[in-house]
Amino acid sequence: MKQTYRSILLFTILFSFQLFSQTNTFIKNYSRGGGCSVIQTKDSGYLIGSYLYYDKIVILTKTDNAGNLIWEKKFENLTEPLPYFLRVVQHSDEGYSFVGTKEGNDTNVCLYRLNKSGDTIWTKTYLTTACEFGKSFVLTDDGGYLIAGTHQALNSPDKTMIIKADYDGNLIKRKLFSFPTSSITFLDIQKTFDNNFMLYVKGRLFKISDDGDSLWVKNLSKSCTDFFQTSDSGFVLCGEDFLMKTDKIGNKIWTKNYSNWTFRSVIQTEDGGFALVDRGILKTDADGNKLWEIVIPNYFYEIQSTGDKGFILAGHINNYISLIKTDANGNASGVALTSFNDAQSCVIGREYIFYWYSQSISNVNIDLTTNGGASWDRIASVIPDSGFYKFAMEGKSSDKCKLKVSDANNPTLFDESNEYFSITYNSTSDFIAINQIMMFVGNNGMGSHDPRSDGAGLYWPGGKYATIGAVFQDGLIWGGKVNGVINVNGSTYRSGLQPGKILSCGLPDTTTKPIYNIWKIRRDWESLPPRSERAAFEYNYDNWPGELGAPYEDIDHDGQYTKEIDKPKYEGDETLWFVANDLDSAITQYTYGSEPIGLEVQVTTYGYNRTDDLADVVFKKYKIINKSTTTVEDMYFGYWSDTDLGDGSDDYVGCDSILNLGYAYNSSNNDQAYGAAPPALGYFLLQGPTCPSKLSDSAYFDGRWVKEKKNLTMSAYAAIFKTWLYALDPPIGYNGSLGFYYYLKGSRYSYQAPELPYIDPYTGDTTKFPLSGDPVFNTGWYEGNGWPGGPFAGDRRHMISSGPFNFAPGDTQEVVYAIIIGRGTDNINSVKVLKDKTKAVKNFYYLGILDDVAKSNFLPKEFKLYQNFPNPFNPTTTIKYSIPERSRVELKIFDVLGKEVATLVNEEKSIGNYEVHFDGSNLSSGVYIYRLKAGNFFNTKKIVLIK
């Protein structure tokens, strides 16, 4: 019997489940993972093999004949075996063996020998100076092993490798063949009827003797995922959507194609036909003609025949190891509780989708227990046509919760979760969905990442019912010098924070206290129906942690939060709040290799229930307190994002330094997810960090203006490319801290040099604002037509930053960002709509009105002359300036010799922001100077005309 495991990538954190079954057939789920293969053991039970990709763990799951769990064993620190493939065999003593790849300084093949209880008897590692991967193996007639794998020597093509070992795993010989492979090549070895061995490797059938001598090789026309020797000594191979039959020396006899299938495994059945598995079973006759098919809405990677002429399938249902036993016609009677769309902690009042899989059942009941099964409450009786049910989590706060799905006509047939989950009023992650945006946050600083799927976590449009992801992950980054050493931390794909406050003694509080979960309140909660959702908001309102720093209204004006007197403060119409700190060295080192500083970070996320421009905006306010005893010098704050607008492989990014905006937009007018006219998404620095300034200046801080300070604006923009060497993702480790600090300062990170500048391809000048051209007016440096020789559209990361400033012990900084989405008539017009909304959001934040953007006039605090845009230009450009008081204004253009060539403004102007359009059609190409005089203010800038 063929005995094969296929490995599977795992992306979500869900529950694990187990069910009872009827005789002969069953549907079972076990722990988290994906069943790669299955064998029927000598005691008529089953052994499933799985591989947890990200955890690098092999799992063996042993069951009885009815699929009930007997034991489970885990084997750690193993690199990925062959995709969808991990072979396990049973010996005559009822023990087991499997081959893996041991991770270390070098990657080496390892062989495990286990007893019948799955305990390790011995392991053998075959050390070489190269990286060698164990893929598949078979037992030889003398009780030894023949292992197939790949050999990756330095500066040489990858090769196919055979290792021969004795009964105790001792190396007898190693042999290399010239066939190129790689660590991810599908490579399988099986014993043939004539006591030789057949390998499938990268499009070839390759026959060898017991000693590894080559007998023949046959090149195939297709790439396969499994093969099987047939009763006539030929071979049958399956691939994406086909089945191929060959004779005994590999000559093709026929090929059959089947639409909507992606086959993983094939066997020959007793009637001479074939059974293939993917999302179900497809059965054919001996000539490959389809006889019947059974569709199961999940992934399966191995099919085997059983002693009672049925089939056993190993795979996963919603990312949990799954085993299905069918009869000879592919039918299985049973019901399987498969998943919630959440992790182990559920929140009272939040809606959940509950999935199950069933066959031959007309109605199911769904029940919940909050006391470990002592009593059950009926949630619903539903017809399982769609296989899911949406409901709001009810009950009381408890960590002894289970769900059960059962056959309404036969209650003895049911599936109950075999692990407890908790119901709480708050969780470690939550989402805001008061308007068209649904966005997740985590109490460790994680932003815009969905813990249910480990995928995109900012969705738009549709609010809580949105389904299209716009951001994969984002978060606040900071970097500075601590005693002269660069230190960077924050949240990207990893987070350098842990939940909780820093105590007065300088130590972090216990991170697992429920008060350090995420708190969420909503302005209209009292108008909600008297059900669990309202109860959750009421609990949060009544227990609001104002004493920790959560925003509140100080009713008695005593400067401290007093419950039942002071009230929670609604920022917007829905407010989320949590507090975290950076004092866990293991976490900060794991993030980007830096040590902790001693920062406490309080985060308020809020939005408005509006139908105007605010319907597409979420605000994030960060209050950062330096609770260390050290000044952080040359400090910067940045907001980083891996923006994926629907399909993340076709995006562009850019910035507008005047608007303090970094944004992403689609490279074409048709996105795979959003369709025509895809949106643009921007990160707007609404309120920058503060620093000392002159007497006439004021900074906005904690909702008021503070004199003799100023808010720093956006000081740099980072455009980061996943696969282009120009500006790369900073790596994990301390080099990542250096790379991010370069980006925060306005330079770029590349493997080619420790720090490199961004160079404007039009002017040749260095710039801290790459891609600040305008794709709407086709001017300046922007992605696509505005960057000859630039990268193709693709996956992008980008970051806006502000600094530098010194951050002394006891100081508090506050920065506010707005995440804004705009959708116009096409992909480029969406950029214009986004910029218009950005202006409106600023007006709303500072003036409290959301006026038509054409009428918006933000009152400036200082004289300022901006760089013209675009620059260089041909023949028109725009010059902007600001005056904080009524003044006589002159704006003139001069050539390099000082000769006046144009007067653009010469009149009295009121306080405000202005822009003037200049047409250089009558001038020759060259460098010019423009000068602004307003009151006692005087400033000049360079302008370049290119025709």
Side-chain angles (χ1 to χ4, degrees), residues 30-66:
Y30 307 98
S31 64
R32 192 148 55 89
C36 304
S37 72
V38 60
I39 59 173
Q40 189 164 23
T41 53
K42 298 179 184 298
D43 60 1
S44 296
Y46 301 98
L47 184 72
I48 314 164
S50 307
Y51 181 72
L52 290 176
Y53 179 81
Y54 288 111
D55 297 328
K56 298 183 177 180
I57 295 175
V58 167
I59 301 177
L60 298 185
T61 304
K62 180 67 175 70
T63 78
D64 62 18
N65 186 48

Side-chain angles (χ1 to χ4, degrees), residues 657-676:
S657 58
I658 296 175
L659 287 178
N660 294 324
L661 176 72
Y663 58 89
Y665 59 106
N666 207 269
S667 61
S668 72
N669 197 37
N670 187 30
D671 180 79
Q672 183 176 341
Y674 278 111

Side-chain angles (χ1 to χ4, degrees), residues 844-881:
F844 175 80
Y845 184 76
Y846 286 103
L847 301 179
I849 57 172
L850 194 66
D851 216 352
D852 179 71
V853 295
K855 301 177 183 177
S856 296
N857 185 33
F858 312 120
L859 300 181
K861 299 293 186 293
E862 61 182 349
F863 290 99
K864 192 165 187 178
L865 176 64
Y866 296 93
Q867 184 66 50
N868 67 300
F869 181 82
N871 188 36
F873 70 99
N874 179 25
T876 61
T877 189
T878 299
I879 300 172
K880 295 184 179 182
Y881 63 95

